[in-house]
Amino acid sequence: MLSNLIVVAEQVGVLFLLMGVGFVMGKLGLVDQRTTGQMSTLLLYVISPCLLVDALQRPFTAELLRAMGLGCALLVLQYAALIVISQMTFRKAPRETSAVLRYAQVYSNNIFMGLPLVQAALGDAAAIFVVPSMVGSAVFQWTHGVALMGSKISPKKVILNPGILGIIAGMVFFVGRITLPTVIGSAISFLGSMNTPLAMIIIGVQMAGADMKSTFSQPALYGVSAIRLIASPIITLLIMLPFRQTSPDLFCALVILSAAPSAGVTSIFAQKFGQDVTSAAQVVSLSTLLSLVTLPIFAALAKSLAF
């Protein structure tokens, strides 16, 4: 396990340096929050869907399809457990704050932070095992997440969000055994390869805009981070443990993704639905910093148990 820990820690270090670039750019005013919002839109609506389509451009096998189906089924159990836990916390906090903190417990930064680490730890081909997590997060965020934030659920948004559309397109090509023409496939691959550096830079800029002194002094944020970074991957590990030999890469990917910090869209949802934006930004920043310690541990543990 020690060798795995060292390897994963090195990979997290690379991601940390990329975040550092964004942090410095944010502090120097070279990139502002408006620009970050535009980059996030590019990442969510173009780059991430392209990455998923590219990941699914591989020979169809029934084994891979079964693994993704198994991942989706097990993630339902994971989200159910996290939602139950979240309902037991922050009952005395103001509604606008408790909604944000509960949301941050349940939903991880599986695209911006988890996906790059999965690729770094398991190889680019392992991106296909992120598909179940993206399906699960998209469905739950736009149903339970929206309801938690005090708004009405929109089935249209559940189906027509960019992540799901990218997965649908990729699955059509995968199941239909359709290989994209070289020109189109290469363009999609180049766009998808931008995911890791751009995602890390965006997180760094967001952290540069947060009041870190205030963030480090709030016990509630540490409680959320403990559930998000420790309880969540433990729950996923226990749920997935009986299946680790069936699909080792799927097992490792889902544990790594569940150990990712609070979702970056926590702040976006808080702003969109009129909740506590300050707490949202702070919990995302704190959990991201703390994940630099916890992520390598769980990634190394998952690899040690699976291989």
Side-chain angles (χ1 to χ4, degrees), residues 78-80 82-87 101-108 140 144 148 224 227-228 232 258 262-263:
Q78 176 205 341
Y79 278 114
L82 290 174
I83 288 170
V84 169
I85 292 172
S86 71
Q87 292 304 308
L101 298 182
R102 288 173 176 174
Y103 186 97
Q105 291 177 49
V106 177
Y107 300 104
S108 72
F140 277 90
H144 165 261
L148 182 61
V224 173
I227 294 172
R228 173 70 261 139
S232 175
S258 69
S262 299

Side-chain angles (χ1 to χ4, degrees), residues 89-99 101-102 220:
T89 60
F90 306 111
R91 294 188 174 185
K92 296 182 179 180
R95 172 69 180 81
E96 63 272 14
T97 300
S98 65
L101 298 182
R102 288 173 176 174

Side-chain angles (χ1 to χ4, degrees), residues 211-253:
D211 182 355
M212 298 309 295
K213 184 177 180 180
S214 173
T215 298
F216 284 121
S217 63
Q218 297 188 53
L221 302 184
Y222 287 95
V224 173
S225 297
I227 294 172
R228 173 70 261 139
L229 302 176
I230 299 175
S232 175
I234 288 176
I235 289 170
T236 304
L237 194 150
L238 292 175
I239 291 173
M240 285 290 300
L241 199 58
F243 305 96
R244 69 185 187 281
Q245 299 300 328
T246 304
S247 182
D249 282 338
L250 174 68
F251 171 78
C252 289

Side-chain angles (χ1 to χ4, degrees), residues 27-285:
K27 285 297 185 183
L28 294 177
L30 298 176
V31 179
D32 57 22
Q33 296 302 319
R34 179 174 177 273
T35 304
T36 305
Q38 293 171 333
M39 291 194 298
S40 297
T41 299
L42 173 64
L43 192 67
L44 286 171
Y45 283 84
V46 179
I47 293 173
S48 291
C50 283
L51 176 64
L52 289 167
V53 171
D54 186 52
L56 287 162
Q57 279 288 287
R58 57 188 297 174
F60 172 85
T61 67
E63 182 181 353
L64 270 178
L65 190 62
R66 284 195 297 270
M68 287 188 284
L70 173 64
C72 288
L74 294 174
L75 280 168
V76 171
L77 298 178
Q78 176 205 341
Y79 278 114
L82 290 174
I83 288 170
V84 169
I85 292 172
S86 71
Q87 292 304 308
M88 300 177 184
T89 60
F90 306 111
R91 294 188 174 185
K92 296 182 179 180
R95 172 69 180 81
E96 63 272 14
T97 300
S98 65
V100 165
L101 298 182
R102 288 173 176 174
Y103 186 97
Q105 291 177 49
V106 177
Y107 300 104
S108 72
N109 206 342
N110 58 352
I111 301 176
F112 285 12
M113 191 80 177
L115 176 53
L117 185 55
V118 167
Q119 290 178 291
L122 304 174
D124 289 342
I128 193 170
F129 295 110
V130 180
V131 170
S133 181
M134 289 198 67
V135 172
S137 64
V139 171
F140 277 90
Q141 280 181 344
W142 288 99
T143 51
H144 165 261
V146 169
L148 182 61
M149 291 290 186
S151 186
K152 293 182 179 179
I153 298 172
S154 170
K156 181 179 178 180
K157 289 182 178 179
V158 174
I159 299 172
L160 297 182
N161 73 76
I164 292 296
L165 291 178
I167 290 168
I168 290 173
M171 288 300 294
V172 168
F173 298 144
F174 175 64
V175 176
R177 296 173 171 83
I178 300 170
T179 301
L180 294 172
T182 302
V183 173
I184 297 175
S186 296
I188 289 175
S189 181
F190 280 130
L191 285 168
S193 66
M194 294 171 61
N195 182 81
T196 297
L198 188 59
M200 294 300 102
I201 288 171
I202 289 172
I203 292 174
V205 176
Q206 290 174 337
M207 289 174 62
D211 182 355
M212 298 309 295
K213 184 177 180 180
S214 173
T215 298
F216 284 121
S217 63
Q218 297 188 53
L221 302 184
Y222 287 95
V224 173
S225 297
I227 294 172
R228 173 70 261 139
L229 302 176
I230 299 175
S232 175
I234 288 176
I235 289 170
T236 304
L237 194 150
L238 292 175
I239 291 173
M240 285 290 300
L241 199 58
F243 305 96
R244 69 185 187 281
Q245 299 300 328
T246 304
S247 182
D249 282 338
L250 174 68
F251 171 78
C252 289
L254 293 186
V255 172
I256 291 171
L257 293 167
S258 69
S262 299
V265 295
T266 303
S267 300
I268 298 173
F269 268 44
Q271 186 168 23
K272 180 179 178 64
F273 298 115
Q275 304 300 324
D276 188 347
V277 177
T278 300
S279 293
Q282 289 175 330
V283 74
V284 170
S285 297

